[in-house]
Amino acid sequence: MALNEDAPWGDLTSQTLIPVDARASAALIARESGVFSGGSVFAAAFTLLDPVVVVEVQVPDGAAFAKGDTLATVMGPARSVLQSERVALNFVQRLSGIATLTAEYVALVAGTTARIVDTRKTTPGLRVLERHAVRSGGGYNHRFSLSDAVMAKDNHLAVLTQDGRLSVTEALRQVRASLSHTTHLEAEVDRLDQIEAVLAGGVDTIMLDNFGLTDLRRGVEQVAGRAIVEASGSVNLGTVAAIAQTGVDVISVGALTHSVRALDLGLDVTMTV
């Protein structure tokens, strides 16, 4: 889709400027340090357009690299290399940016029991790639889609209990009874006094949403191992270490995918006729 979007009727510039028999070699160079992700996608951007192009990825996904390192090489018909260049870079720069940011978060919670996980705040159509990049950076994935688990958030619970016929506990118990034993049930709370009612509903995970540090510690103590405890909201590089120290099991970070900066990588191309 990306290749078709970028050149729906071919690369007019290369077709008019570059001789048909010209060949090119290129090197993917790191212009800053980071963590690599997206090697197979980078290669596919060239080989899907032209199977004759040869791509050799020098570092595996998840590997750290330094400024100036060569991450991959490309050889083939010059027109094909030039046409694929931007699409290949767009993918590998974004995915490596996600992996690098994730690795920063993971390093800040080292020594605690907390896992860094992503959210569904991904670029539409690119979720599988962006979540792979989170894993490249040492993070973990939350549910992949709305089809994978039950997550009862505040709006869901408000609808279920709005007429007063069901309590939160009763509503969650009904949900639990309707689910397969393999299906995970998570519920969100935003106050300490909601925790017991949610736990009584039989949840597997309880999300403490936008809790301060003191209340996070109290929440972990109150849950006391009866469910997985997830912290969400107001998580950034400046707050994540302190959140991890409260004893939560999971810290979900939307910024891993929705606010990431593309890493500065460049493709240096040399052409021969």
Side-chain angles (χ1 to χ4, degrees):
M1 289 174 61
L3 290 167
N4 289 336
E5 175 186 63
D6 203 39
W9 303 286
D11 177 2
L12 186 59
T13 305
S14 294
Q15 289 167 0
T16 55
L17 291 179
I18 306 301
V20 68
D21 59 349
R23 295 186 62 79
S25 61
L28 180 64
I29 304 297
R31 293 175 178 161
E32 61 179 311
S33 60
V35 176
F36 191 67
S37 187
S40 61
V41 184
F42 175 81
F46 295 98
T47 58
L48 285 176
L49 178 71
D50 186 347
V52 174
V53 176
V54 176
V55 181
E56 294 185 359
V57 179
Q58 308 293 332
V59 296
D61 285 9
F65 57 83
K67 180 179 179 179
D69 284 354
T70 298
L71 307 177
T73 58
V74 182
M75 296 185 65
R79 287 185 178 185
S80 299
V81 172
L82 291 169
Q83 182 171 331
S84 300
E85 172 187 8
R86 176 44 53 196
V87 170
L89 280 173
N90 285 349
F91 277 112
V92 77
Q93 286 179 303
R94 179 165 182 81
L95 298 183
S96 294
I98 291 171
T100 301
L101 181 61
T102 302
E104 292 182 53
Y105 275 93
V106 170
L108 287 169
V109 305
T112 72
T113 59
R115 283 185 170 190
I116 298 297
V117 306
D118 53 23
T119 71
R120 285 171 39 248
K121 297 175 183 177
T122 53
T123 307
L126 297 184
R127 181 171 295 174
V128 67
L129 299 179
E130 293 182 346
R131 292 203 147 177
H132 168 78
V134 168
R135 296 194 301 275
S136 296
Y140 294 84
N141 299 143
H142 212 296
R143 59 176 177 163
F144 185 81
S145 71
L146 293 172
S147 302
D148 295 321
V150 175
M151 182 183 289
K153 305 196 82 173
D154 51 357
N155 289 335
H156 299 103
L157 294 175
V159 171
L160 279 172
T161 60
Q162 65 182 344
D163 58 8
R165 288 183 297 175
L166 287 176
S167 67
V168 168
T169 298
E170 291 168 333
L172 288 172
R173 283 178 175 170
Q174 285 189 8
V175 172
R176 176 87 276 173
S178 70
L179 296 176
S180 160
H181 70 284
T182 62
T183 304
H184 199 87
L185 173 60
E186 178 169 357
E188 174 189 274
V189 300
D190 52 26
R191 301 191 316 271
L192 288 170
D193 60 10
Q194 298 172 322
I195 289 177
E196 289 303 327
V198 167
L199 289 174
V203 298
D204 302 296
T205 297
I206 185 165
M207 177 192 290
L208 308 183
D209 188 44
N210 283 302
F211 275 46
L213 294 176
T214 298
D215 281 350
L216 277 176
R217 292 189 192 92
R218 291 174 178 169
V220 171
E221 293 172 358
Q222 187 174 344
V223 174
R226 290 178 286 171
I228 296 168
V229 179
E230 175 181 344
S232 181
S234 302
V235 182
N236 55 56
L237 290 172
T239 62
V240 70
I243 292 172
Q245 291 292 339
T246 65
V248 297
D249 303 298
V250 173
I251 303 174
S252 51
V253 189
L256 297 181
T257 53
H258 75 58
S259 301
V260 70
R261 177 183 67 83
L263 219 59
D264 190 4
L265 309 175
L267 195 67
D268 296 339
V269 179
T270 302
M271 292 203 305
T272 58
V273 177

